[in-house]
Amino acid sequence: MQVIELFKTAIQSLKANKKRSFLTIIGIMIGIAAVIAILGIGDGITQTMYDKFGNNAKQGQQTTEIAFYPDNLTSSTYGFTQTEVDNIKTQFGGEIKRVQIERETDNLSTQAQIGDTTKRTNVSLLKKPTNKISLISGKNFTKNNLTAGQASALMSDKVAKKQYGTAQNALGTTVTVNDVTYNIIGVYKAQGQYTGDGNQNPYGADILVPDSLYYHGESATQGNTLKLTLSQGVNASHISRKVAKYLKKNGPARNQGSYEYIDMEKALKQFSSEMSIITTFISFIAAISLFIAGIGVMNMMYISVSERTQEIGIRLAVGATPFNIMMQFLVEAVILTVTGGLLGFIGGAGLAHLLAPLLSNAIGGAGIHIHAHISMNAFLLAFGTSAAVGLIFGILPARQAANKNLIDILR
Amino acid sequence: MITLKNINKYYHQGNQRFHVLHDISIEIDRGELVAIIGESGSGKSTLINIIGFLDDDFEGTYFYQDHPIHDYTRKQFSGLRNQNVGFVFQNFKLLRESTVADNVALPLLYAGKSRKEIGARVSEVLNQVGLAGYEQQLPKNMSGGQQQRVSIARAISTHPKFLIADEPTGALDSETSQEIMNLFKSLNQNEGTTIIMVTHDPHVAEQCERVIKIIDGRVISDSKEGEKRAGN
């Protein structure tokens, strides 16, 4: 018998019993969908972490950071100066494309003169207008304010009330930071110093000023964070560790603090392996439903075989071999499960994409957006598993069909 | 063409063993129209199942065109059935949910023929049994006589060497029975198809050229043997 006829016959038989076929497909679909959804979200979380913190976070570039932690938090010593940058450039020129002292823009602790008092204040620098603060009075920054070099600033209501009594009163006053005097054009509601995911919150500062004015348009010549951009293909973690080691020996401030390379990649690897253990474990539990669905397939095939005894007899009588009969029932089972598997894949992928944003909301971090990640492997897994379920749970009923005694059937 | 020698057949039921066929020896030649008659339980259906390669569980020797059928495996039986025998059953045994064309095509599919060949052959045999144009009908919407014609069309679709018919008119009224018998006779005379049928309708049996009577698993009379004896 030709293979295509085998499939046609199988599809015809399944159509003859639409309801039962449909229910069996649903069973498999739920099983596969559960596994795919969990894998999709698990992969998604890992992927998100790599995107956010990995060495390749910026597209096509490997970047790492080396930080200097001063022993005395209030000291004004900087860990990196232009000399360091030049030294590192000559030492590691082959592997490192660019060395840069990070310009710090968030929560700079500095002296500011507010009205007639001078005190230590947290200042954040803005490059673009933001809608993440809620204005109490006055106006927010516009694009023009920030790029045109106007000396305007925003003040938090906490500072405003302390200094001027009400938020309204603060408008029009001045604040002097780093020898530049800014006009207060708006007052915003004070925020916490840290975001939900534990990062520094730039909008938790007391005063917001334009980035262009604060640094006078120059790049930083000193700071506590060094940013390395590495050539493609080199082992970023390895090189960065070497640079950190070099700095520990030769850094200008090595006696006032410590240079640390935070190997995100290593931490991420550990995270991803832990994540995959958890994902696998949950998938196993989801696979139980797949097993139950498999038993459903088997049940249906057994019923089908006993219901279609006459048909089997007729086919055997007109010349079907037992192998033909077995293949027919096996193909029916596999068509059922593979259909269920593909539908389950679509359903599971959809479910993962629906659940991932909810999950990010539940975590609450504004900075973290988890996207479900459905890989080609997941597709192959769905396809392979469902086909395997069809074969495993279909073979016994199919063999029973093939081994029926022809004389008993036809009598 | 068919040579049975000392065929014995037992049925097992629990610990009991029923001896259904006793030392049956029959020879059937090409082109014969044979009726096997006998009361129910006499073993005639059992015998016809053995002749038609449906039953391989018997003692004795069965040579079909010099093939030692008694030595064949189940799989070889399938091929042999497909190539050599057509079956017609009392209750038609059609796939009720499939069209007439699909039913008739079934043996051709298992013979490995392509769709194109099959379509032409199906129309040809349906025409032969007087059901031209019925390809897309469903058997469940047809009369008994028509269904039996479909099953005859299915039986002859692979150009079998012989037809096995187990009570082909058992479920039909006498007028329809006669139509079916006429069809068998014309197949036998015009196409030279060997036909072996089981019946207990004497009216049907008397239209066959050879009648074998079986009682309690033994051949009681064979009209051909009678002729031979008469000739001697």
Side-chain angles (χ1 to χ4, degrees):
Chain A
M1 195 179 190
Q2 293 174 348
V3 178
I4 182 155
E5 297 299 337
L6 198 63
F7 277 89
K8 274 188 188 163
T9 312
I11 289 170
Q12 222 168 22
S13 311
L14 291 175
K15 271 191 189 159
N17 230 318
K18 284 199 191 77
K19 264 185 212 157
R20 207 160 57 192
S21 306
F22 176 72
L23 289 174
T24 315
I25 287 175
I26 292 271
I28 294 288
M29 190 183 138
I30 291 173
I32 295 281
V35 174
I36 293 298
I38 288 164
L39 286 181
I41 292 176
D43 279 1
I45 292 174
T46 311
Q47 195 81 17
T48 307
M49 291 300 167
Y50 267 99
D51 286 350
K52 201 166 159 59
F53 302 115
N55 291 345
N56 291 313
K58 292 241 171 61
Q59 241 178 356
Q61 287 187 336
Q62 301 192 80
T63 57
T64 59
E65 281 179 1
I66 293 173
F68 173 75
Y69 298 102
D71 292 334
N72 180 3
L73 282 176
T74 53
S75 88
S76 55
T77 332
Y78 284 106
F80 305 102
T81 59
Q82 199 55 44
T83 337
E84 265 9 83
V85 173
D86 294 338
N87 280 349
I88 291 171
K89 265 185 189 158
T90 47
Q91 285 273 329
F92 300 95
E95 292 97 348
I96 301 180
K97 278 209 308 224
R98 213 151 59 111
V99 185
Q100 219 178 0
I101 294 171
E102 189 114 86
R103 258 172 37 175
E104 295 181 38
T105 57
D106 297 348
N107 297 316
L108 304 172
S109 178
T110 178
Q111 296 287 337
Q113 190 188 347
I114 302 170
D116 49 7
T117 51
T118 300
K119 59 179 174 184
R120 193 155 270 278
T121 321
N122 273 336
V123 179
S124 283
L125 312 181
L126 290 188
K127 280 200 177 86
K128 284 182 287 190
T130 176
N131 52 14
K132 290 197 175 134
I133 51 173
S134 56
L135 271 243
I136 291 178
S137 65
K139 289 177 296 186
N140 200 340
F141 282 133
T142 63
K143 213 172 164 195
N144 244 353
N145 288 141
L146 295 178
T147 50
Q150 284 179 29
S152 41
L154 302 179
M155 183 182 273
S156 87
D157 62 341
K158 222 166 81 189
V159 180
K161 276 178 190 154
K162 208 167 166 192
Q163 192 70 31
Y164 301 108
T166 65
Q168 196 65 38
N169 288 346
L171 293 179
T173 60
T174 59
V175 53
T176 307
V177 185
N178 221 9
D179 298 336
V180 182
T181 304
Y182 304 87
N183 278 320
I184 302 293
I185 58 165
V187 175
Y188 61 92
K189 199 168 180 309
Q191 296 183 11
Q193 209 170 349
Y194 294 97
T195 59
D197 50 10
N199 287 334
Q200 283 216 344
N201 177 10
Y203 310 110
D206 298 325
I207 290 166
L208 303 177
V209 302
D211 176 271
S212 53
L213 235 64
Y214 187 87
Y215 279 120
H216 310 290
E218 291 164 15
S219 71
T221 51
Q222 49 188 17
N224 282 335
T225 308
L226 191 69
K227 198 163 155 194
L228 308 177
T229 306
L230 293 108
S231 312
Q232 281 299 329
V234 302
N235 184 338
S237 304
H238 183 68
I239 303 294
S240 306
R241 227 172 294 137
K242 265 167 71 177
V243 174
K245 212 168 167 188
Y246 165 81
L247 283 169
K248 273 177 193 164
K249 254 193 201 152
N250 307 310
R254 63 182 181 278
N255 295 324
Q256 285 116 303
S258 58
Y259 294 92
E260 298 286 346
Y261 163 56
I262 306 150
D263 193 349
M264 283 314 256
E265 203 73 9
K266 196 172 158 191
L268 279 171
K269 266 192 194 122
Q270 201 167 352
F271 172 79
S272 112
S273 83
E274 278 163 13
M275 199 62 211
S276 80
I277 290 171
I278 295 171
T279 311
T280 313
F281 180 69
I282 303 177
S283 301
F284 257 121
I285 295 174
I288 292 174
S289 70
L290 199 60
F291 183 75
I292 295 170
I295 291 175
V297 171
M298 201 165 182
N299 202 358
M300 157 166 180
M301 291 316 289
Y302 268 124
I303 294 172
S304 182
V305 166
S306 66
E307 235 175 37
R308 287 156 63 193
T309 305
Q310 279 294 317
E311 181 196 326
I312 295 169
I314 293 167
R315 288 180 185 277
L316 283 171
V318 301
T321 60
F323 181 73
N324 286 146
I325 299 293
M326 190 180 88
M327 283 311 285
Q328 186 190 334
F329 280 88
L330 209 51
V331 166
E332 277 181 34
V334 171
I335 287 180
L336 274 183
T337 56
V338 167
T339 310
L342 295 184
L343 288 177
F345 173 75
I346 295 169
L351 197 67
H353 281 290
L354 275 178
L355 286 182
L358 295 181
L359 203 64
S360 337
N361 282 353
I363 291 173
I368 295 189
H369 292 285
I370 297 169
H371 295 287
H373 184 252
I374 308 289
S375 58
M376 189 64 196
N377 283 345
F379 176 78
L380 292 178
L381 182 82
F383 189 80
T385 313
S386 55
V389 166
L391 285 176
I392 291 167
F393 292 95
I395 190 98
L396 284 177
R399 277 181 52 169
Q400 178 175 324
N403 292 330
K404 280 199 180 275
N405 187 330
L406 184 51
I407 299 300
D408 288 342
I409 299 175
L410 291 178
R411 194 181 289 155
Chain B
M1 181 168 68
I2 292 167
T3 310
L4 299 175
K5 248 199 191 112
N6 300 324
I7 298 290
N8 280 285
K9 166 81 184 172
Y10 304 92
Y11 277 134
H12 297 272
Q13 207 162 48
N15 292 329
Q16 285 179 303
R17 196 170 77 147
F18 297 99
H19 197 169
V20 213
L21 295 179
H22 296 264
D23 283 335
I24 305 268
S25 298
I26 299 176
E27 274 187 46
I28 296 170
D29 292 331
R30 192 173 303 253
E32 281 195 279
L33 175 55
V34 185
I36 299 176
I37 60 170
E39 289 161 23
S40 51
S42 59
K44 54 191 188 320
S45 290
T46 308
L47 176 60
I48 212 173
N49 285 343
I50 291 174
I51 294 176
F53 314 131
L54 288 173
D55 193 350
D56 58 348
D57 181 23
F58 58 86
E59 289 173 11
T61 55
Y62 174 7
F63 283 95
Y64 167 73
Q65 290 185 332
D66 300 328
H67 297 294
I69 301 304
H70 45 273
D71 289 340
Y72 274 30
T73 64
R74 205 171 168 218
K75 194 182 168 192
Q76 285 173 300
F77 262 58
S78 301
L80 212 56
R81 271 202 297 277
N82 188 254
Q83 301 298 316
N84 295 284
V85 205
F87 293 92
V88 179
F89 298 96
Q90 177 177 1
N91 45 7
F92 324 132
K93 300 248 186 260
L94 298 171
L95 299 177
R96 296 170 60 80
E97 305 294 334
S98 303
T99 62
V100 166
D102 284 345
N103 268 288
V104 177
L106 212 52
L108 296 166
L109 282 179
Y110 286 116
K113 295 274 193 300
S114 74
R115 273 274 149 176
K116 223 162 101 191
E117 292 174 274
I118 289 173
R121 178 63 186 154
V122 166
S123 306
E124 192 182 327
V125 289
L126 281 179
N127 197 28
Q128 212 173 340
V129 297
L131 286 178
Y134 277 78
E135 276 89 342
Q136 295 312 316
Q137 291 271 356
L138 290 180
K140 59 181 176 185
N141 300 330
M142 298 169 87
S143 72
Q146 285 174 321
Q147 290 194 43
Q148 195 59 298
R149 284 166 191 273
V150 174
S151 91
I152 292 170
R154 181 180 66 191
I156 61 175
S157 63
T158 49
H159 300 287
K161 306 292 186 303
F162 65 102
L163 285 189
I164 293 285
D166 193 351
E167 305 267 14
T169 61
L172 305 173
D173 60 52
S174 57
E175 200 179 321
T176 323
S177 294
Q178 193 51 51
E179 286 174 17
I180 296 296
M181 272 314 289
N182 291 342
L183 185 56
F184 275 130
K185 281 193 283 186
S186 87
L187 280 173
N188 179 245
Q189 278 154 21
N190 302 337
E191 314 279 324
T193 312
T194 311
I195 297 172
I196 305 162
M197 70 171 73
V198 158
T199 182
H200 51 244
D201 183 349
H203 187 66
V204 167
E206 74 189 17
Q207 298 180 57
C208 298
E209 33 183 71
R210 180 179 175 188
V211 177
I212 298 172
K213 186 167 189 190
I214 292 184
I215 292 179
D216 291 341
R218 290 182 174 85
V219 176
I220 297 298
S221 69
D222 185 339
S223 63
K224 196 176 183 185
E225 299 291 319
E227 280 165 29
K228 268 190 205 161
R229 244 175 272 138
N232 292 342

